[in-house]
Amino acid sequence: MEQPPAPPSFVAIDVSKDRLDVHVLPSGDAFAVARNGKGLDKLLTALRCRSVGLIVIEATGGYELTVSAAIAAADLPLAVVNPRQIRDFARATGRLAKTDALDAEVIALFAERIRPEARHLPGPDAQALADLVARRRQLVEMIGMEGNRLRQAHTPLIQKSLRATLKMLEAQLAALDHDIDNTVRASPIWRAADDLLLSVPSVGSVTARTLIADLPELGRLDRRSIASLVGVAPVNRDSGTWRGHRAIAGGRPTVRRTLFMAALVGVRWNPVLKDQYQRLARGRPKKVALVACMRRLLTILNAIIRSATPWQNA
């Protein structure tokens, strides 16, 4: 007689600096491997022997990247989740103790019961572009902080030091902008997306490159899904007859901040956003009107990338 197929396994991997703690449900198997080449080989060998339904890893500030890349290369279903979701789930189930092994067990329970959607990870080129864009944000922040210190400094020696640091940071920023531009223009797909995004009034090179690097789903989802993914969709807070204040939450902060600046420019220079902002600002707070313009701009950009049609003035 034919044997029934084995139930899918939900695999959790708790990633630390030197090792990986693995927990598998429903079997309850648990083991640990080193976070190096040999350890990853052992992990993949163990996973290939199972009927894997989903693998879940926490985003741990970069330690998970090598592990995620190896799992994605093995064509196994993987979801990288926000650690806050795991912590909230642990509290909801009354699990307060914390060790690496216990964390792996909690992540496995989260995978089995919540079943987050498995997503394709960006390839090496896309990850490299995302790293360049992230580094650019860091340089801009450092330039802003050093500029603030310079305005408050009174000692000539300190002013000289701050000016030298600013000069060095600005040179690095210019070189990084050149590298990002070359990276985008070297890819036919990114170059086409860049040209489409830049055709929209109020969208500049920083906005376009941030969207290409940090929002690869642009053009692949419907308008509601992309708004929820970015975090510009209002969240309901209702209970019984009570109607709470709607506000945006979650999403991708880096993309949302970039859209905010683009919408701020757009309400002056983009005719569609300008008209919407003027209508909404008459009866609503200006920030609410601006957030609505952010969502409208995202919808426009999503449609432009999906249809491969540049902006056309009415």
Side-chain angles (χ1 to χ4, degrees), residues 101-125:
L102 290 176
D103 286 348
E105 183 180 356
V106 170
I107 297 171
L109 285 170
F110 177 88
E112 184 182 44
R113 297 176 185 177
I114 306 300
R115 303 193 181 188
E117 181 183 357
R119 295 182 181 273
H120 291 290
L121 294 180
D125 291 341

Side-chain angles (χ1 to χ4, degrees), residues 216-267:
E217 299 88 352
L218 191 68
R220 302 177 185 176
L221 303 176
D222 60 66
R223 60 186 180 88
R224 290 185 176 85
S225 298
I226 199 73
S228 178
L229 182 63
V230 174
V232 293
V235 178
N236 292 351
R237 290 181 172 85
D238 301 335
S239 179
T241 59
W242 182 75
R243 295 294 178 267
H245 174 71
R246 267 72 169 164
I248 60 175
R252 298 183 182 174
T254 57
V255 177
R256 194 163 56 244
R257 285 195 293 267
T258 303
L259 281 176
F260 177 84
M261 297 306 299
L264 202 60
V265 175
V267 297

Side-chain angles (χ1 to χ4, degrees), residues 77-122:
L78 173 69
V80 180
V81 301
N82 190 322
R84 186 182 65 180
Q85 293 179 272
I86 305 297
R87 288 197 299 271
D88 291 344
F89 178 82
R91 293 191 190 100
T93 56
R95 296 171 180 266
L96 303 180
K98 181 175 176 61
T99 66
D100 291 339
L102 290 176
D103 286 348
E105 183 180 356
V106 170
I107 297 171
L109 285 170
F110 177 88
E112 184 182 44
R113 297 176 185 177
I114 306 300
R115 303 193 181 188
E117 181 183 357
R119 295 182 181 273
H120 291 290
L121 294 180

